[in-house]
Amino acid sequence: MSKRLKMGTENIKRKVRSQYSEMEIVYRPYFDPEFDTLIERIHPPRVSIDNDTCRDCTLVKVDSANKHGILLEMVQVLTDLDLVISKSYISSDGGWFMDVFHVTDQLGNKITDESLILYIEQAICATRRGSKEVRTSLGREVRPPHVSKERTALEITGTDRPGLLSEISAVIAELECHVAAAVLWTHNTRLACIIYMEDDCKGGTVAGVNQVAHVQAQLENVLEAHHREGEKRSVRVTAPEAGRTHTERRLHQLMAGDRDYEECCSSSSGGGGRRQQGRYRDGIKVTIDYCKERGYSEVNVRCRDRPKLLFDTVCTLTDMQYVVFHAAISSKGPIAIQEYFIRHMDGCTMDSESERRRVAQCLTSAIERRVSHGLRLDICTDNRLGLLSDITRAFRENGLSITRAEIGTHGEKAVGSFYITDASGQDVDRDVVEMVRREVGGTVTVVNESPGRSPQTTTRSIITSKSSNVVEGQSNVVQVRPRFSLGTLLWSQLERISGNFRTIKS
């Protein structure tokens, strides 16, 4: 009897302990999600545009509460405006972010347009407050645009081959879907493409489970037709949503997810396994050291300078979950030098040789993706259903291959750039180009430019040159009063440093 009573007592204790543990899980302390943004709301970002300190450039100074990804947000605002960042000094230790960007326009001039200055101030502050709308008097479109609610995104990755974009756009036209914008990158035999579509019959998004599934199935058949067994490919149709990832950042993610960085550079290690080095054609050099004194991994990038280089490297580090604590970026003639002191988000440095090799490969690949190869054609013609299919079919029928493309609508016009080679990757015969110009119609301009220049930069300058006038009655600039912040105490020192840039090690 006592034994049975003892067993019953143990069962009761076991149930009580179980109920008590469940209560511990259920009744956890409540934390208001607004608490995470409290510092940002108390000390909102301070943006200062300085045209007096430097003789040949504009200083864009930002200080704000620190948060993962803030550096990428700032760089993204400036590069979307096609501004050239020649120098920058970054510091984000101690929970506070401070940065000075030395910027000019594409012609090397200071930023003096009051509407553009107002836009930069508003856009940078909007990124920190989570707002996706920036009220501005800027009289031109900022590309790549945020995706509107009327567009469905089509993301495609796979093995690159001549005529693939032509086949994809032909299927889209047959399904009576209108291409509102499209961007394509190729690198290391891989392809990544984002196409924004609209339903041409009903207008608006490509909606409905059956319609989306039909589009996806048809395009998967196109990719599967020429793929060998074991090759990766992907077709993804995504519905429009607020806060969609920046188009060019998403292309980097698609390429990296497709592992286009594999075999993109030969890597070797030295210095007792503490140094990782990667080299690639076109003079790209990435080295990674361990900075024992400061507890950081030190990443050094040296390559040919070009537009949006800073965006590409910062985007890669951010998406790989690394935090930039300090950085110095400068250009010496045609060469760009970038120095980053980073840690992983968990606070660890790169201690394994495999991790250092992967970071070096990913950075090298990110730099190479935007380097354009082939002859560039700028196209401006009337927008219509099936236009992309017609243009790319003309390229395919004349034996041309597209290495990079970007096209979008601008009012009633479609404007874009295509980089083309022949089927073997060699230079294009000019007689063939003339044939293509006649078939495409509209205005087709052959652009000769130096290697490594971004196609988006020149294309956008052509687009905006016809619509860069500020709307009358909206040119008044809102005066932004300086707000007190911890960064105010350091501005005098930071301005002195930014006036004479050198690498941190020196």
Side-chain angles (χ1 to χ4, degrees):
M1 185 70 179
S2 60
K3 184 177 181 181
R4 192 176 302 171
L5 180 62
K6 185 177 180 180
M7 290 178 62
T9 304
E10 290 295 330
N11 289 334
I12 293 173
K13 290 180 179 180
R14 198 178 299 114
K15 289 180 180 179
V16 170
R17 284 196 298 267
S18 175
Q19 292 176 355
Y20 182 74
S21 63
E22 290 178 1
M23 289 175 64
E24 286 184 324
I25 296 174
V26 173
Y27 295 104
R28 289 179 176 174
Y30 173 75
F31 291 98
D32 192 332
E34 293 293 324
F35 182 78
D36 291 336
T37 61
L38 178 62
I39 299 298
E40 291 182 38
R41 287 183 281 115
I42 294 176
H43 298 291
R46 183 170 73 93
V47 183
S48 173
I49 310 296
D50 180 5
N51 271 316
D52 299 326
T53 302
C54 290
R55 179 174 53 85
D56 56 353
C57 67
T58 299
L59 299 186
V60 179
K61 309 171 187 179
V62 184
D63 72 298
S64 170
N66 193 21
K67 186 177 181 180
H68 181 62
I70 180 175
L71 176 59
L72 179 58
E73 292 174 2
M74 306 306 169
V75 173
Q76 181 177 300
V77 169
L78 299 177
T79 55
D80 280 353
L81 292 168
D82 291 332
L83 300 179
V84 177
I85 303 174
S86 58
K87 294 180 182 179
S88 182
Y89 183 84
I90 297 131
S91 179
S92 63
D93 251 346
W96 202 262
F97 173 88
M98 294 184 298
D99 196 357
V100 175
F101 297 100
H102 289 224
V103 301
T104 63
D105 62 17
Q106 290 293 313
L107 300 177
N109 301 319
K110 288 185 176 183
I111 311 304
T112 57
D113 187 335
E114 297 291 352
S115 62
L116 184 57
I117 291 174
L118 177 60
Y119 179 88
I120 293 172
E121 293 171 343
Q122 290 180 332
I124 289 178
C125 292
T127 60
R128 305 308 301 144
R129 290 194 294 263
S131 173
K132 297 301 177 183
E133 297 181 0
V134 179
R135 289 174 293 181
T136 177
S137 60
L138 191 65
R140 63 185 176 92
E141 181 185 12
V142 179
R143 298 177 65 198
H146 292 293
V147 181
S148 69
K149 296 180 179 180
E150 289 75 32
R151 296 176 183 175
T152 300
L154 175 64
E155 300 176 351
I156 300 173
T157 59
T159 302
D160 184 32
R161 57 180 171 80
L164 180 57
L165 181 59
S166 176
E167 297 176 18
I168 291 172
S169 55
V171 170
I172 294 174
E174 289 178 2
L175 296 173
E176 296 185 330
C177 294
H178 176 63
V179 175
V183 187
L184 176 141
W185 287 1
T186 62
H187 175 250
N188 200 23
T189 73
R190 308 302 296 171
L191 170 143
C193 181
I194 299 179
I195 299 175
Y196 297 114
M197 303 182 301
E198 299 171 348
D199 192 323
D200 190 66
C201 296
K202 302 177 182 178
T205 62
V206 179
V209 177
N210 294 333
Q211 186 179 11
V212 170
H214 184 55
V215 171
Q216 188 163 337
Q218 293 296 317
L219 292 174
E220 285 176 348
N221 291 336
V222 172
L223 290 180
E224 189 175 2
H226 296 274
H227 270 69
R228 293 188 295 270
E229 186 177 355
E231 286 184 334
K232 295 174 62 178
R233 58 188 181 276
S234 172
V235 178
R236 181 168 174 258
V237 181
T238 62
E241 56 187 10
R244 181 183 297 283
T245 303
H246 186 271
T247 302
E248 293 177 350
R249 182 180 183 183
R250 184 57 184 157
L251 283 168
H252 277 300
Q253 293 173 349
L254 291 173
M255 280 291 201
D258 206 28
R259 305 178 72 88
D260 73 316
Y261 56 83
E262 293 182 342
E263 300 180 2
C264 75
C265 61
S266 59
S267 300
S268 58
S269 60
R274 285 295 190 182
R275 181 182 181 90
Q276 183 64 40
Q277 180 168 298
R279 287 187 177 87
Y280 196 68
R281 64 180 183 272
D282 297 329
I284 301 174
K285 183 179 180 180
V286 179
T287 59
I288 300 176
D289 294 308
Y290 176 65
C291 185
K292 183 177 181 181
E293 297 80 9
R294 305 184 185 183
Y296 300 118
S297 292
E298 181 185 351
V299 179
N300 288 278
V301 178
R302 182 185 178 91
C303 64
R304 186 189 300 273
D305 193 20
R306 61 165 175 76
K308 301 198 176 183
L309 177 64
L310 181 59
F311 173 85
D312 295 336
T313 53
V314 171
C315 178
T316 300
L317 292 173
T318 303
D319 285 337
M320 295 183 75
Q321 303 299 305
Y322 289 100
V323 178
V324 177
F325 287 90
H326 302 282
I329 288 88
S330 63
S331 301
K332 295 183 178 180
I335 302 301
I337 299 174
Q338 300 181 349
E339 186 179 27
Y340 299 98
F341 288 84
I342 67 173
R343 296 191 195 112
H344 200 269
M345 283 192 66
D346 59 9
C348 298
T349 57
M350 286 179 264
D351 295 327
S352 67
E353 183 179 349
S354 60
E355 184 181 7
R356 291 191 290 272
R357 182 185 300 110
R358 186 171 67 92
V359 172
Q361 288 179 332
C362 288
L363 284 171
T364 303
S365 185
I367 295 169
E368 179 63 15
R369 285 173 196 145
R370 203 187 289 270
V371 176
S372 305
H373 303 281
L375 181 68
R376 172 180 160 183
L377 298 182
D378 284 353
I379 295 176
C380 179
T381 186
D382 293 333
N383 188 25
R384 64 180 187 274
L385 176 65
L387 175 62
L388 182 61
S389 176
D390 295 340
I391 294 173
T392 54
R393 184 179 68 250
F395 291 151
R396 183 188 63 188
E397 291 176 349
N398 287 278
L400 302 180
S401 179
I402 300 172
T403 61
R404 175 182 291 273
E406 179 179 358
I407 189 169
T409 57
H410 187 68
E412 298 298 323
K413 296 290 185 179
V415 186
S417 293
F418 295 85
Y419 281 76
I420 57 174
T421 65
D422 64 16
S424 60
Q426 303 301 315
D427 293 337
V428 180
D429 187 272
R430 292 305 178 110
D431 294 334
V432 176
V433 174
E434 286 300 321
M435 294 176 61
V436 171
R437 292 176 65 174
R438 289 194 295 268
E439 292 182 31
V440 170
T443 302
V444 180
T445 306
V446 178
V447 181
N448 293 319
E449 54 183 25
S450 58
R453 184 171 176 82
S454 167
Q456 289 85 350
T457 301
T458 309
T459 301
R460 288 173 193 160
S461 65
I462 291 173
I463 292 172
T464 59
S465 63
K466 299 179 181 180
S467 59
S468 58
N469 295 327
V470 180
V471 179
E472 293 184 3
Q474 296 181 350
S475 58
N476 294 328
V477 180
V478 178
Q479 297 293 330
V480 180
R481 295 183 178 180
R483 303 182 180 92
F484 172 78
S485 68
L486 297 178
T488 306
L489 302 177
L490 301 175
W491 273 125
S492 59
Q493 294 296 323
L494 193 58
E495 290 170 359
R496 179 181 61 81
I497 294 172
S498 66
N500 184 19
F501 273 76
R502 291 182 295 177
T503 58
I504 294 174
K505 287 169 64 177
S506 60

mmCIF file with all atom_site columns, all heavy atoms in Angstrom, residues 96-112:
data_model
loop_
_atom_site.group_PDB
_atom_site.id
_atom_site.type_symbol
_atom_site.label_atom_id
_atom_site.label_alt_id
_atom_site.label_comp_id
_atom_site.label_asym_id
_atom_site.label_entity_id
_atom_site.label_seq_id
_atom_site.pdbx_PDB_ins_code
_atom_site.Cartn_x
_atom_site.Cartn_y
_atom_site.Cartn_z
_atom_site.occupancy
_atom_site.B_iso_or_equiv
_atom_site.pdbx_formal_charge
_atom_site.auth_seq_id
_atom_site.auth_comp_id
_atom_site.auth_asym_id
_atom_site.auth_atom_id
_atom_site.pdbx_PDB_model_num
ATOM 1   N N   . TRP A 1 96  ? 26.812 53.494 -33.095 1.00 0.00 ? 96  TRP A N   1
ATOM 2   C CA  . TRP A 1 96  ? 26.495 54.705 -33.848 1.00 0.00 ? 96  TRP A CA  1
ATOM 3   C C   . TRP A 1 96  ? 27.187 54.639 -35.199 1.00 0.00 ? 96  TRP A C   1
ATOM 4   O O   . TRP A 1 96  ? 28.335 54.238 -35.300 1.00 0.00 ? 96  TRP A O   1
ATOM 5   C CB  . TRP A 1 96  ? 26.948 55.938 -33.079 1.00 0.00 ? 96  TRP A CB  1
ATOM 6   C CG  . TRP A 1 96  ? 26.207 57.172 -33.504 1.00 0.00 ? 96  TRP A CG  1
ATOM 7   C CD1 . TRP A 1 96  ? 26.621 58.124 -34.374 1.00 0.00 ? 96  TRP A CD1 1
ATOM 8   C CD2 . TRP A 1 96  ? 24.909 57.551 -33.084 1.00 0.00 ? 96  TRP A CD2 1
ATOM 9   N NE1 . TRP A 1 96  ? 25.656 59.090 -34.532 1.00 0.00 ? 96  TRP A NE1 1
ATOM 10  C CE2 . TRP A 1 96  ? 24.596 58.759 -33.742 1.00 0.00 ? 96  TRP A CE2 1
ATOM 11  C CE3 . TRP A 1 96  ? 23.967 56.989 -32.214 1.00 0.00 ? 96  TRP A CE3 1
ATOM 12  C CZ2 . TRP A 1 96  ? 23.377 59.416 -33.557 1.00 0.00 ? 96  TRP A CZ2 1
ATOM 13  C CZ3 . TRP A 1 96  ? 22.775 57.644 -32.033 1.00 0.00 ? 96  TRP A CZ3 1
ATOM 14  C CH2 . TRP A 1 96  ? 22.479 58.850 -32.690 1.00 0.00 ? 96  TRP A CH2 1
ATOM 15  N N   . PHE A 1 97  ? 26.477 55.062 -36.224 1.00 0.00 ? 97  PHE A N   1
ATOM 16  C CA  . PHE A 1 97  ? 26.991 55.012 -37.592 1.00 0.00 ? 97  PHE A CA  1
ATOM 17  C C   . PHE A 1 97  ? 27.344 56.417 -38.057 1.00 0.00 ? 97  PHE A C   1
ATOM 18  O O   . PHE A 1 97  ? 26.547 57.350 -37.926 1.00 0.00 ? 97  PHE A O   1
ATOM 19  C CB  . PHE A 1 97  ? 25.931 54.410 -38.513 1.00 0.00 ? 97  PHE A CB  1
ATOM 20  C CG  . PHE A 1 97  ? 26.289 54.462 -39.977 1.00 0.00 ? 97  PHE A CG  1
ATOM 21  C CD1 . PHE A 1 97  ? 27.013 53.433 -40.563 1.00 0.00 ? 97  PHE A CD1 1
ATOM 22  C CD2 . PHE A 1 97  ? 25.903 55.533 -40.771 1.00 0.00 ? 97  PHE A CD2 1
ATOM 23  C CE1 . PHE A 1 97  ? 27.340 53.476 -41.900 1.00 0.00 ? 97  PHE A CE1 1
ATOM 24  C CE2 . PHE A 1 97  ? 26.219 55.579 -42.116 1.00 0.00 ? 97  PHE A CE2 1
ATOM 25  C CZ  . PHE A 1 97  ? 26.951 54.546 -42.682 1.00 0.00 ? 97  PHE A CZ  1
ATOM 26  N N   . MET A 1 98  ? 28.548 56.572 -38.615 1.00 0.00 ? 98  MET A N   1
ATOM 27  C CA  . MET A 1 98  ? 28.967 57.840 -39.210 1.00 0.00 ? 98  MET A CA  1
ATOM 28  C C   . MET A 1 98  ? 29.657 57.557 -40.530 1.00 0.00 ? 98  MET A C   1
ATOM 29  O O   . MET A 1 98  ? 30.440 56.609 -40.632 1.00 0.00 ? 98  MET A O   1
ATOM 30  C CB  . MET A 1 98  ? 29.906 58.606 -38.282 1.00 0.00 ? 98  MET A CB  1
ATOM 31  C CG  . MET A 1 98  ? 29.276 59.089 -37.000 1.00 0.00 ? 98  MET A CG  1
ATOM 32  S SD  . MET A 1 98  ? 30.423 60.090 -36.034 1.00 0.00 ? 98  MET A SD  1
ATOM 33  C CE  . MET A 1 98  ? 31.711 58.903 -35.723 1.00 0.00 ? 98  MET A CE  1
ATOM 34  N N   . ASP A 1 99  ? 29.358 58.380 -41.523 1.00 0.00 ? 99  ASP A N   1
ATOM 35  C CA  . ASP A 1 99  ? 29.953 58.175 -42.835 1.00 0.00 ? 99  ASP A CA  1
ATOM 36  C C   . ASP A 1 99  ? 30.068 59.505 -43.556 1.00 0.00 ? 99  ASP A C   1
ATOM 37  O O   . ASP A 1 99  ? 29.232 60.399 -43.380 1.00 0.00 ? 99  ASP A O   1
ATOM 38  C CB  . ASP A 1 99  ? 29.096 57.210 -43.670 1.00 0.00 ? 99  ASP A CB  1
ATOM 39  C CG  . ASP A 1 99  ? 29.861 56.669 -44.870 1.00 0.00 ? 99  ASP A CG  1
ATOM 40  O OD1 . ASP A 1 99  ? 31.008 57.092 -45.070 1.00 0.00 ? 99  ASP A OD1 1
ATOM 41  O OD2 . ASP A 1 99  ? 29.307 55.836 -45.588 1.00 0.00 ? 99  ASP A OD2 1
ATOM 42  N N   . VAL A 1 100 ? 31.109 59.628 -44.363 1.00 0.00 ? 100 VAL A N   1
ATOM 43  C CA  . VAL A 1 100 ? 31.281 60.765 -45.257 1.00 0.00 ? 100 VAL A CA  1
ATOM 44  C C   . VAL A 1 100 ? 31.509 60.214 -46.656 1.00 0.00 ? 100 VAL A C   1
ATOM 45  O O   . VAL A 1 100 ? 32.438 59.431 -46.880 1.00 0.00 ? 100 VAL A O   1
ATOM 46  C CB  . VAL A 1 100 ? 32.476 61.651 -44.844 1.00 0.00 ? 100 VAL A CB  1
ATOM 47  C CG1 . VAL A 1 100 ? 32.695 62.757 -45.880 1.00 0.00 ? 100 VAL A CG1 1
ATOM 48  C CG2 . VAL A 1 100 ? 32.245 62.256 -43.481 1.00 0.00 ? 100 VAL A CG2 1
ATOM 49  N N   . PHE A 1 101 ? 30.652 60.600 -47.590 1.00 0.00 ? 101 PHE A N   1
ATOM 50  C CA  . PHE A 1 101 ? 30.780 60.207 -48.992 1.00 0.00 ? 101 PHE A CA  1
ATOM 51  C C   . PHE A 1 101 ? 31.260 61.414 -49.804 1.00 0.00 ? 101 PHE A C   1
ATOM 52  O O   . PHE A 1 101 ? 30.684 62.499 -49.698 1.00 0.00 ? 101 PHE A O   1
ATOM 53  C CB  . PHE A 1 101 ? 29.441 59.731 -49.571 1.00 0.00 ? 101 PHE A CB  1
ATOM 54  C CG  . PHE A 1 101 ? 28.874 58.513 -48.912 1.00 0.00 ? 101 PHE A CG  1
ATOM 55  C CD1 . PHE A 1 101 ? 27.869 58.628 -47.957 1.00 0.00 ? 101 PHE A CD1 1
ATOM 56  C CD2 . PHE A 1 101 ? 29.326 57.244 -49.238 1.00 0.00 ? 101 PHE A CD2 1
ATOM 57  C CE1 . PHE A 1 101 ? 27.330 57.509 -47.351 1.00 0.00 ? 101 PHE A CE1 1
ATOM 58  C CE2 . PHE A 1 101 ? 28.792 56.121 -48.638 1.00 0.00 ? 101 PHE A CE2 1
ATOM 59  C CZ  . PHE A 1 101 ? 27.789 56.252 -47.694 1.00 0.00 ? 101 PHE A CZ  1
ATOM 60  N N   . HIS A 1 102 ? 32.290 61.217 -50.618 1.00 0.00 ? 102 HIS A N   1
ATOM 61  C CA  . HIS A 1 102 ? 32.713 62.225 -51.581 1.00 0.00 ? 102 HIS A CA  1
ATOM 62  C C   . HIS A 1 102 ? 32.065 61.866 -52.916 1.00 0.00 ? 102 HIS A C   1
ATOM 63  O O   . HIS A 1 102 ? 32.396 60.842 -53.521 1.00 0.00 ? 102 HIS A O   1
ATOM 64  C CB  . HIS A 1 102 ? 34.240 62.220 -51.738 1.00 0.00 ? 102 HIS A CB  1
ATOM 65  C CG  . HIS A 1 102 ? 34.960 62.754 -50.538 1.00 0.00 ? 102 HIS A CG  1
ATOM 66  N ND1 . HIS A 1 102 ? 36.016 63.638 -50.620 1.00 0.00 ? 102 HIS A ND1 1
ATOM 67  C CD2 . HIS A 1 102 ? 34.766 62.543 -49.207 1.00 0.00 ? 102 HIS A CD2 1
ATOM 68  C CE1 . HIS A 1 102 ? 36.440 63.938 -49.411 1.00 0.00 ? 102 HIS A CE1 1
ATOM 69  N NE2 . HIS A 1 102 ? 35.708 63.277 -48.539 1.00 0.00 ? 102 HIS A NE2 1
ATOM 70  N N   . VAL A 1 103 ? 31.136 62.693 -53.384 1.00 0.00 ? 103 VAL A N   1
ATOM 71  C CA  . VAL A 1 103 ? 30.352 62.328 -54.570 1.00 0.00 ? 103 VAL A CA  1
ATOM 72  C C   . VAL A 1 103 ? 30.392 63.449 -55.611 1.00 0.00 ? 103 VAL A C   1
ATOM 73  O O   . VAL A 1 103 ? 30.562 64.628 -55.293 1.00 0.00 ? 103 VAL A O   1
ATOM 74  C CB  . VAL A 1 103 ? 28.878 62.018 -54.208 1.00 0.00 ? 103 VAL A CB  1
ATOM 75  C CG1 . VAL A 1 103 ? 28.793 60.881 -53.208 1.00 0.00 ? 103 VAL A CG1 1
ATOM 76  C CG2 . VAL A 1 103 ? 28.178 63.255 -53.661 1.00 0.00 ? 103 VAL A CG2 1
ATOM 77  N N   . THR A 1 104 ? 30.216 63.029 -56.857 1.00 0.00 ? 104 THR A N   1
ATOM 78  C CA  . THR A 1 104 ? 30.042 63.942 -57.989 1.00 0.00 ? 104 THR A CA  1
ATOM 79  C C   . THR A 1 104 ? 28.999 63.324 -58.917 1.00 0.00 ? 104 THR A C   1
ATOM 80  O O   . THR A 1 104 ? 28.591 62.173 -58.730 1.00 0.00 ? 104 THR A O   1
ATOM 81  C CB  . THR A 1 104 ? 31.349 64.140 -58.774 1.00 0.00 ? 104 THR A CB  1
ATOM 82  O OG1 . THR A 1 104 ? 31.761 62.882 -59.340 1.00 0.00 ? 104 THR A OG1 1
ATOM 83  C CG2 . THR A 1 104 ? 32.453 64.685 -57.881 1.00 0.00 ? 104 THR A CG2 1
ATOM 84  N N   . ASP A 1 105 ? 28.599 64.099 -59.923 1.00 0.00 ? 105 ASP A N   1
ATOM 85  C CA  . ASP A 1 105 ? 27.748 63.496 -60.948 1.00 0.00 ? 105 ASP A CA  1
ATOM 86  C C   . ASP A 1 105 ? 28.631 62.775 -61.956 1.00 0.00 ? 105 ASP A C   1
ATOM 87  O O   . ASP A 1 105 ? 29.857 62.686 -61.792 1.00 0.00 ? 105 ASP A O   1
ATOM 88  C CB  . ASP A 1 105 ? 26.865 64.554 -61.615 1.00 0.00 ? 105 ASP A CB  1
ATOM 89  C CG  . ASP A 1 105 ? 27.675 65.637 -62.335 1.00 0.00 ? 105 ASP A CG  1
ATOM 90  O OD1 . ASP A 1 105 ? 28.880 65.427 -62.597 1.00 0.00 ? 105 ASP A OD1 1
ATOM 91  O OD2 . ASP A 1 105 ? 27.095 66.695 -62.641 1.00 0.00 ? 105 ASP A OD2 1
ATOM 92  N N   . GLN A 1 106 ? 28.042 62.247 -63.016 1.00 0.00 ? 106 GLN A N   1
ATOM 93  C CA  . GLN A 1 106 ? 28.797 61.461 -63.980 1.00 0.00 ? 106 GLN A CA  1
ATOM 94  C C   . GLN A 1 106 ? 29.835 62.295 -64.734 1.00 0.00 ? 106 GLN A C   1
ATOM 95  O O   . GLN A 1 106 ? 30.792 61.741 -65.286 1.00 0.00 ? 106 GLN A O   1
ATOM 96  C CB  . GLN A 1 106 ? 27.843 60.814 -64.983 1.00 0.00 ? 106 GLN A CB  1
ATOM 97  C CG  . GLN A 1 106 ? 26.986 59.711 -64.389 1.00 0.00 ? 106 GLN A CG  1
ATOM 98  C CD  . GLN A 1 106 ? 27.823 58.505 -63.986 1.00 0.00 ? 106 GLN A CD  1
ATOM 99  O OE1 . GLN A 1 106 ? 28.664 58.043 -64.747 1.00 0.00 ? 106 GLN A OE1 1
ATOM 100 N NE2 . GLN A 1 106 ? 27.583 57.994 -62.794 1.00 0.00 ? 106 GLN A NE2 1
ATOM 101 N N   . LEU A 1 107 ? 29.661 63.610 -64.769 1.00 0.00 ? 107 LEU A N   1
ATOM 102 C CA  . LEU A 1 107 ? 30.602 64.486 -65.468 1.00 0.00 ? 107 LEU A CA  1
ATOM 103 C C   . LEU A 1 107 ? 31.669 65.041 -64.527 1.00 0.00 ? 107 LEU A C   1
ATOM 104 O O   . LEU A 1 107 ? 32.484 65.869 -64.944 1.00 0.00 ? 107 LEU A O   1
ATOM 105 C CB  . LEU A 1 107 ? 29.839 65.634 -66.139 1.00 0.00 ? 107 LEU A CB  1
ATOM 106 C CG  . LEU A 1 107 ? 28.790 65.226 -67.175 1.00 0.00 ? 107 LEU A CG  1
ATOM 107 C CD1 . LEU A 1 107 ? 28.068 66.456 -67.714 1.00 0.00 ? 107 LEU A CD1 1
ATOM 108 C CD2 . LEU A 1 107 ? 29.429 64.434 -68.312 1.00 0.00 ? 107 LEU A CD2 1
ATOM 109 N N   . GLY A 1 108 ? 31.655 64.606 -63.273 1.00 0.00 ? 108 GLY A N   1
ATOM 110 C CA  . GLY A 1 108 ? 32.648 65.064 -62.312 1.00 0.00 ? 108 GLY A CA  1
ATOM 111 C C   . GLY A 1 108 ? 32.317 66.380 -61.648 1.00 0.00 ? 108 GLY A C   1
ATOM 112 O O   . GLY A 1 108 ? 33.194 67.001 -61.024 1.00 0.00 ? 108 GLY A O   1
ATOM 113 N N   . ASN A 1 109 ? 31.067 66.824 -61.733 1.00 0.00 ? 109 ASN A N   1
ATOM 114 C CA  . ASN A 1 109 ? 30.660 68.094 -61.151 1.00 0.00 ? 109 ASN A CA  1
ATOM 115 C C   . ASN A 1 109 ? 30.046 67.905 -59.764 1.00 0.00 ? 109 ASN A C   1
ATOM 116 O O   . ASN A 1 109 ? 29.539 66.827 -59.439 1.00 0.00 ? 109 ASN A O   1
ATOM 117 C CB  . ASN A 1 109 ? 29.632 68.792 -62.055 1.00 0.00 ? 109 ASN A CB  1
ATOM 118 C CG  . ASN A 1 109 ? 30.189 69.063 -63.447 1.00 0.00 ? 109 ASN A CG  1
ATOM 119 O OD1 . ASN A 1 109 ? 31.338 69.462 -63.595 1.00 0.00 ? 109 ASN A OD1 1
ATOM 120 N ND2 . ASN A 1 109 ? 29.365 68.831 -64.465 1.00 0.00 ? 109 ASN A ND2 1
ATOM 121 N N   . LYS A 1 110 ? 30.066 68.947 -58.969 1.00 0.00 ? 110 LYS A N   1
ATOM 122 C CA  . LYS A 1 110 ? 29.424 68.916 -57.660 1.00 0.00 ? 110 LYS A CA  1
ATOM 123 C C   . LYS A 1 110 ? 27.907 68.789 -57.800 1.00 0.00 ? 110 LYS A C   1
ATOM 124 O O   . LYS A 1 110 ? 27.346 69.095 -58.860 1.00 0.00 ? 110 LYS A O   1
ATOM 125 C CB  . LYS A 1 110 ? 29.753 70.195 -56.873 1.00 0.00 ? 110 LYS A CB  1
ATOM 126 C CG  . LYS A 1 110 ? 31.174 70.291 -56.376 1.00 0.00 ? 110 LYS A CG  1
ATOM 127 C CD  . LYS A 1 110 ? 31.327 71.534 -55.504 1.00 0.00 ? 110 LYS A CD  1
ATOM 128 C CE  . LYS A 1 110 ? 32.712 71.623 -54.904 1.00 0.00 ? 110 LYS A CE  1
ATOM 129 N NZ  . LYS A 1 110 ? 32.845 72.786 -53.992 1.00 0.00 ? 110 LYS A NZ  1
ATOM 130 N N   . ILE A 1 111 ? 27.259 68.382 -56.726 1.00 0.00 ? 111 ILE A N   1
ATOM 131 C CA  . ILE A 1 111 ? 25.801 68.270 -56.702 1.00 0.00 ? 111 ILE A CA  1
ATOM 132 C C   . ILE A 1 111 ? 25.237 69.608 -56.243 1.00 0.00 ? 111 ILE A C   1
ATOM 133 O O   . ILE A 1 111 ? 25.276 69.948 -55.046 1.00 0.00 ? 111 ILE A O   1
ATOM 134 C CB  . ILE A 1 111 ? 25.349 67.136 -55.768 1.00 0.00 ? 111 ILE A CB  1
ATOM 135 C CG1 . ILE A 1 111 ? 26.122 65.853 -56.061 1.00 0.00 ? 111 ILE A CG1 1
ATOM 136 C CG2 . ILE A 1 111 ? 23.849 66.919 -55.885 1.00 0.00 ? 111 ILE A CG2 1
ATOM 137 C CD1 . ILE A 1 111 ? 26.026 65.378 -57.476 1.00 0.00 ? 111 ILE A CD1 1
ATOM 138 N N   . THR A 1 112 ? 24.719 70.387 -57.180 1.00 0.00 ? 112 THR A N   1
ATOM 139 C CA  . THR A 1 112 ? 24.198 71.715 -56.862 1.00 0.00 ? 112 THR A CA  1
ATOM 140 C C   . THR A 1 112 ? 22.697 71.837 -57.081 1.00 0.00 ? 112 THR A C   1
ATOM 141 O O   . THR A 1 112 ? 22.100 72.828 -56.651 1.00 0.00 ? 112 THR A O   1
ATOM 142 C CB  . THR A 1 112 ? 24.914 72.777 -57.719 1.00 0.00 ? 112 THR A CB  1
ATOM 143 O OG1 . THR A 1 112 ? 24.753 72.457 -59.111 1.00 0.00 ? 112 THR A OG1 1
ATOM 144 C CG2 . THR A 1 112 ? 26.406 72.815 -57.387 1.00 0.00 ? 112 THR A CG2 1
#
